[in-house]
Amino acid sequence: MNIRIFIIPALALVAWSCSHDAPDPVLTVTVDATEINAGQTVTLTIKHNLDGIAIYNGEEGNNYFNSAAYILAGKTEDDLLNNVYRPVDDSVIPLEYDFSDATVGATTIGCGYIEVVNANSGDNLMGSEAEIVNNPDTGGKMLQITSTHPDWWYQALRVNLNSKIGSNTNLTLRMRFDHDYLEDIYTGAQSADITTFGVVVRLAGKAAGSDEVVFNDNTVWDIYWQPSTSWSEYTVDLSRVVSEWQTGTGLEMETINYAQILFVASGSIGYVGNIYVDYVQFGDYDYVAFDTGETITLNNGPGTATYTHTYNTPGEYTIVVIGTTVGDKVQGASYTNDRVNATGANEYDIKRVIRTIDIKVN
């Protein structure tokens, strides 16, 4: 049986106190088996003199090493104020791309995040209707898309996301245009009444448990942007398009592989000219909740408690048992002042002890 023991020092007390100190914790943990088959149950027998017991069985959501108790242990107040310690979902991958690694005149964009394609055939349009050029405003690089036939619905900006859907599904393009008006795409006459063009976003993605990338042309139809000659951020929430994709496929999207964006005409009115993109951003890091433990009910005073858990998935798990004893409240010269100005965990003498047991599930 592989059992490891750690002692966590008690929280600091004030220099003097009339309280009773917490007794030294006594915690003995035994298990009926450390190697089992999937679907079997392990039983812990816990002998103690404790006021509280928390147990982490090691499974997802109940893993001590992903808990606040473990991750935040020893962190100072400044640490907690100035840093983020919450775990992140590694499969949610935010995108921030500024074309700095692109090559002027190249027919592909080296990063692989961005493409300009024929929406009907998938052919690369870089080098013919789109190219990487120098950005005179920043000294960097930018993508230039030459919109010639917005009524043809084929010229698509494809953003390769390859990310699990997270809580933030905003896609932002920082763009500017050669001019801020639309025109009749057949006569060239400037439009006085129509000032915004339609934006059509279509998605490809994977359903949960599937490796098949499914493209669907279901989309929302109320996205309109107004061209500006100044650099501006244009944002679309892809969650609405995800919903339409799901309606069209009958699947539940888990991963967005790419978003295909078309700048289209309204009837014969559209944007004709150069569109410049110098920054693309999608999503954000997705923080997940700390794992939590289970508490078990204790009778007053020392005794024996039991805990059982069934493991259905093969793997190696670490059960962590945390025992706590608590002394009386620390009282200084002025109890009222203590309550107003010094409330917190350090009002009590707290002692903790940890026991761990490794379980192998075949």
Side-chain angles (χ1 to χ4, degrees):
M1 182 183 304
N2 183 4
I3 300 180
R4 303 190 298 278
I5 300 176
F6 304 96
I7 300 292
I8 299 179
L11 296 175
L13 295 176
V14 293
W16 54 272
S17 165
C18 63
S19 68
H20 295 101
D21 292 341
D24 291 333
V26 174
L27 177 60
T28 302
V29 182
T30 57
V31 64
D32 59 348
T34 58
E35 184 170 351
I36 61 174
N37 294 322
Q40 290 185 315
T41 298
V42 296
T43 299
L44 273 61
T45 301
I46 304 166
K47 296 182 179 180
H48 68 90
N49 70 336
L50 304 168
D51 296 308
I53 294 178
I55 299 179
Y56 295 82
N57 57 48
E59 295 209 80
E60 183 177 357
N62 202 241
N63 186 334
Y64 172 69
F65 301 102
N66 293 329
S67 71
Y70 178 78
I71 294 173
L72 302 183
K75 300 294 187 294
T76 67
E77 184 175 350
D78 284 344
D79 289 334
L80 299 177
L81 287 173
N82 297 313
N83 300 284
V84 177
Y85 294 100
R86 285 184 63 187
V88 298
D89 186 338
D90 292 334
S91 56
V92 177
I93 306 171
L95 169 65
E96 292 187 3
Y97 183 64
D98 62 2
F99 297 93
S100 59
D101 68 347
T103 301
V104 171
T107 56
T108 60
I109 301 173
C111 66
Y113 296 129
I114 309 296
E115 300 176 83
V116 180
V117 301
N118 184 324
N120 300 310
S121 66
D123 293 339
N124 181 21
L125 296 179
M126 293 293 294
S128 57
E129 298 183 39
E131 60 181 324
I132 298 297
V133 298
N134 289 313
N135 185 338
D137 299 320
T138 66
K141 314 286 177 51
M142 61 183 178
L143 172 65
Q144 173 184 294
I145 305 171
T146 304
S147 175
T148 306
H149 299 288
D151 57 331
W152 287 5
W153 280 50
Y154 78 99
Q155 190 182 59
L157 174 64
R158 181 178 292 181
V159 183
N160 294 308
L161 302 171
N162 296 312
S163 172
K164 177 183 173 183
I165 298 174
S167 57
N168 184 334
T169 53
N170 286 338
L171 175 65
T172 298
L173 308 176
R174 186 171 183 263
M175 300 189 298
R176 71 171 180 84
F177 298 77
D178 270 343
H179 47 261
D180 57 6
Y181 58 85
L182 305 183
E183 62 187 75
D184 188 300
I185 56 183
Y186 301 111
T187 68
Q190 183 173 332
S191 172
D193 300 323
I194 300 176
T195 60
T196 59
F197 59 84
V199 179
V200 174
V201 183
R202 293 166 172 167
L203 300 179
K206 296 178 184 177
S210 174
D211 291 328
E212 182 184 5
V213 178
V214 179
F215 176 81
N216 186 266
D217 61 4
N218 280 44
T219 188
V220 295
W221 299 98
D222 60 355
I223 303 173
Y224 293 91
W225 288 345
Q226 184 169 358
S228 173
T229 57
S230 300
W231 287 108
S232 304
E233 290 190 346
Y234 295 83
T235 299
V236 58
D237 182 358
L238 293 186
S239 65
R240 300 172 60 215
V241 191
V242 168
S243 179
E244 292 300 322
W245 181 94
Q246 293 178 159
T247 298
T249 63
L251 303 172
E252 188 77 17
M253 182 184 286
E254 181 177 67
T255 300
I256 300 180
N257 289 83
Y258 63 82
Q260 197 154 278
I261 305 168
L262 300 97
F263 308 131
V264 301
S266 299
S268 64
I269 304 299
Y271 179 83
V272 178
N274 290 329
I275 303 171
Y276 304 99
V277 185
D278 83 335
Y279 180 78
V280 181
Q281 192 273 336
F282 171 75
D284 203 347
Y285 292 102
D286 229 38
Y287 295 100
V288 298
F290 290 111
D291 281 15
T292 57
E294 302 174 61
T295 59
I296 60 176
T297 301
L298 302 178
N299 296 322
N300 292 330
T304 300
T306 59
Y307 171 83
T308 61
H309 183 72
T310 302
Y311 291 92
N312 294 310
T313 303
E316 295 183 354
Y317 304 88
T318 298
I319 298 176
V320 178
V321 181
I322 304 176
T324 305
T325 61
V326 182
D328 292 341
K329 177 178 170 59
V330 177
Q331 296 182 24
S334 170
Y335 178 70
T336 301
N337 184 66
D338 288 347
R339 292 193 63 187
V340 172
N341 298 312
T343 57
N346 59 356
E347 291 187 7
Y348 297 88
D349 180 28
I350 300 174
K351 295 179 181 177
R352 294 188 178 92
V353 64
I354 294 181
R355 304 287 186 261
T356 69
I357 299 176
D358 294 327
I359 302 293
K360 182 177 181 180
V361 180
N362 300 312

